[in-house]
Amino acid sequence: MSTSVTVTTWSLEQTSHADLRPSLEPDPATSGVRIARAEVPSPEFSRFLYTSVGADCAWTDRLPWSYEQWRAFLERPGVETWVAYDRDTPAGYIELDPQDDGQVEIAYFGLLPAFRGRRIGGHLLSMGIARAWDLAERLPDRTPTKRVWVHTCSLDGPHALANYEKRGFRIFRTETGEEEKRPVTGPWPGAR
């Protein structure tokens, strides 16, 4: 059974690398926090991150994706997944989705519930934004980044919007509407 909820969505952007206001980086020697790029496209790992981070935030748009859809998305040139680890345990991720004309969308960003409120999110977001701005350095045929954008909504964590604004994002659109909320289900659609 699905229910309808009222959702406010904020779209935010940075139009210059100078807009980025990074958070303090935790000392990896004492905090145990590190961030690494998931360089091998892995539908299983990406779906794990998506469902683990998004389950209580009503992330549902990718739940119907098949293994092949996940793989096709992850293998697109420039799509990057950066993962935060706390003492070698996945704590959260940020996914970059390059678009035309030097734009990069932060498609997904968040922490697993057990790692929220521990100042990992600001660091992960800062690192992800920086990687969006220097994406063309890793992809020689890519137009240099001119804009980094993201959207968040009232179903996301209570500190999501503030974290984006602290990192230098500005709201360029606000929308309110009704959305269907569906529960997270099994590992793959149609899996037995």
Side-chain angles (χ1 to χ4, degrees), residues 88-128:
D88 292 331
T89 302
Y93 79 114
I94 188 165
E95 182 183 85
L96 306 179
D97 182 9
Q99 300 165 347
D100 294 336
D101 300 326
Q103 297 192 56
V104 179
E105 178 185 7
I106 295 175
Y108 287 95
F109 160 71
L111 300 174
L112 281 76
F115 297 92
R116 295 176 188 155
R118 297 173 49 197
R119 302 208 176 271
I120 298 171
H123 174 52
L124 175 59
L125 181 58
S126 297
M127 175 72 77

